[in-house]
């Protein structure tokens, strides 16, 4: 099937970009609306940004959708995010081939209701041969992921564990190293996102709230990244 995306470059200098999508609640509050309203618009931003990154030819894009700590939020808000996700998992199926998207869900899926979990597993299976990786971090925590990886290696009988072993046991084993993390919403922290993978990542923070973030802002973050000198510990 003809691909809908025309990639600008088969070999984009960024191989893996991550987004911490913050500010939905404040965006809604500014409009006198409940937080759920912000998540609804945030989901629209997610779709545009995801399509744009694949369109640019970036091999892997990761979105921090729901952390292991986000369960502490009011039930109504948690339910609204799960509902958005459930609807999106139905909608995205028709785009997998057309957009060459490969979805991978980062995090322990066992806590989700059967219906939602089965949709995640089915989408991972249907898209497993596609090119552009879209990692959705759901019930995800960076420390939790490292513990999961080490336990997996231990269960496999590994005695001396190397860095490569850990990288390949993480949920992100299919993705290249992380180059750039973009965080919206003004806070200057990582919040337990891709802790192992961000060892040499560049960080980009913007005050824009996630629902206001757009494809021009993605381009600005990438341009900023391209003007940085990465030394990876060298000189
Ligand atoms: C952080 O903003 C946002 C979240 C914890 C949820 C992110 C969820 C979405 C963008 C919807 C994703 C939907 C799909 C279909 C992938 P916040 O609520 O902490 O904002 P605040 O800091 O202003 O309170």
């Amino acid at each position: 099937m003809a691909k809908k995306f025309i990639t600008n470059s088969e070999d984009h200098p960024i191989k893996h970009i991550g987004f911490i999508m913050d500010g939905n609640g404040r965006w809604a509050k500014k409009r006198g609306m409940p937080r759920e309203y912000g998540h609804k618009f945030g989901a629209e931003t997610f779709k545009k940004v995801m399509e744009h990154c694949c369109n640019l030819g970036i091999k892997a894009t990761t979105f921090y959708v729901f952390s292991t700590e986000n369960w502490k939020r009011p039930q109504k808000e948690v339910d609204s995010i799960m509902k958005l996700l459930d609807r999106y998992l139905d909608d995205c199926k028709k785009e997998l081939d057309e957009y060459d998207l490969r979805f991978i869900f980062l995090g322990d899926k066992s806590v989700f209701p059967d219906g939602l979990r089965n949709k995640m597993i089915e989408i991972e299976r249907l898209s497993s041969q596609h090119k552009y990786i879209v990692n959705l971090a759901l019930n995800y925590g960076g420390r939790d992921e490292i513990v999961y990886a080490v336990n997996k290696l231990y269960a496999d009988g590994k005695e001396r564990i190397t860095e490569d072993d850990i990288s390949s046991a993480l949920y992100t084993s299919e993705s290249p190293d992380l180059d750039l993390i973009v965080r919206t919403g003004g806070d200057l922290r990582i919040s337990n996102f891709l802790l192992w993978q961000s060892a040499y990542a560049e960080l980009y923070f913007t005050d824009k709230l996630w629902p206001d973030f757009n494809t021009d802002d993605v381009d600005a973050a990438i341009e900023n990244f391209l003007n940085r000198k990465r030394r990876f510990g060298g000189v």
Side-chain angles (χ1 to χ4, degrees):
M1 185 192 291
K3 302 289 178 248
K4 193 163 181 175
F5 284 170
I6 300 163
T7 57
N8 288 337
S9 163
E10 279 296 304
D11 194 22
H12 196 281
I14 292 182
K15 308 293 176 211
H16 186 180
I17 186 169
F19 291 93
I20 301 177
M21 309 184 281
D22 200 13
N24 292 347
R26 280 166 284 164
W27 186 89
K29 196 171 167 206
K30 269 170 55 179
R31 287 160 179 78
M33 298 297 281
R35 297 176 57 81
E36 294 75 30
Y37 185 74
H39 296 314
K40 182 166 173 267
F41 278 82
E44 295 306 314
T45 300
F46 152 75
K47 287 181 221 166
K48 286 179 210 149
V49 169
M50 183 268 284
E51 290 176 5
H52 187 62
C53 290
C54 297
N55 202 9
L56 291 172
I58 297 174
K59 168 83 180 151
T61 308
T62 300
F63 294 90
Y64 205 1
V65 180
F66 198 83
S67 75
T68 43
E69 287 72 38
N70 286 153
W71 297 106
K72 290 185 238 154
R73 293 188 176 211
Q75 195 57 42
K76 183 166 165 255
E77 183 175 347
V78 171
D79 289 346
S80 83
I81 296 173
M82 294 303 142
K83 208 164 156 190
L84 283 169
L85 183 67
D86 192 75
R87 205 171 302 151
Y88 179 68
L89 295 185
D90 288 334
D91 289 350
C92 78
K93 263 199 263 179
K94 48 183 177 291
E95 297 177 348
L96 299 176
D97 287 339
E98 195 177 1
Y99 289 57
D100 215 359
L101 302 178
R102 176 176 184 188
F103 278 91
I104 297 175
F105 297 91
L106 315 181
D108 177 7
K109 296 186 188 74
S110 70
V111 299
F112 292 102
D114 288 351
L116 200 54
R117 185 174 61 252
N118 290 336
K119 284 182 193 183
M120 293 181 208
I121 293 168
E122 190 197 7
I123 287 164
E124 280 184 336
R125 185 182 57 77
L126 286 172
S127 66
S128 65
Q129 300 307 313
H130 291 169
K131 181 168 177 180
Y132 296 106
I133 295 175
V134 180
N135 293 311
L136 296 188
L138 281 167
N139 186 36
Y140 174 87
R143 286 186 173 186
D144 187 68
E145 182 187 30
I146 294 168
V147 171
Y148 159 82
V150 171
N151 278 321
K152 195 159 103 179
L153 294 165
Y154 180 71
D156 288 348
K158 276 263 175 204
E159 283 180 2
R160 283 194 63 80
I161 295 174
T162 65
E163 290 192 9
D164 282 348
D165 289 331
I166 293 186
S167 295
S168 59
L170 295 171
Y171 294 120
T172 52
S173 60
E174 298 295 320
S175 301
D177 279 348
L178 190 64
D179 296 302
L180 174 63
I181 293 180
V182 176
R183 180 175 187 141
T184 60
D187 285 330
L188 308 180
R189 54 177 171 259
I190 292 297
S191 302
N192 208 10
F193 180 60
L194 301 179
L195 294 182
W196 180 273
Q197 302 87 335
S198 63
Y200 289 100
E202 296 292 324
L203 308 178
Y204 181 88
F205 299 100
T206 167
D207 287 338
K208 271 210 172 179
L209 304 175
W210 179 253
D212 287 330
F213 193 71
N214 59 40
T215 55
D216 287 343
D217 296 318
V218 175
D219 292 343
I222 290 176
E223 195 173 325
N224 181 289
F225 169 88
L226 295 175
N227 285 319
R228 297 189 192 184
K229 254 203 174 72
R230 299 179 84 196
R231 293 193 297 274
F232 298 99
V235 287

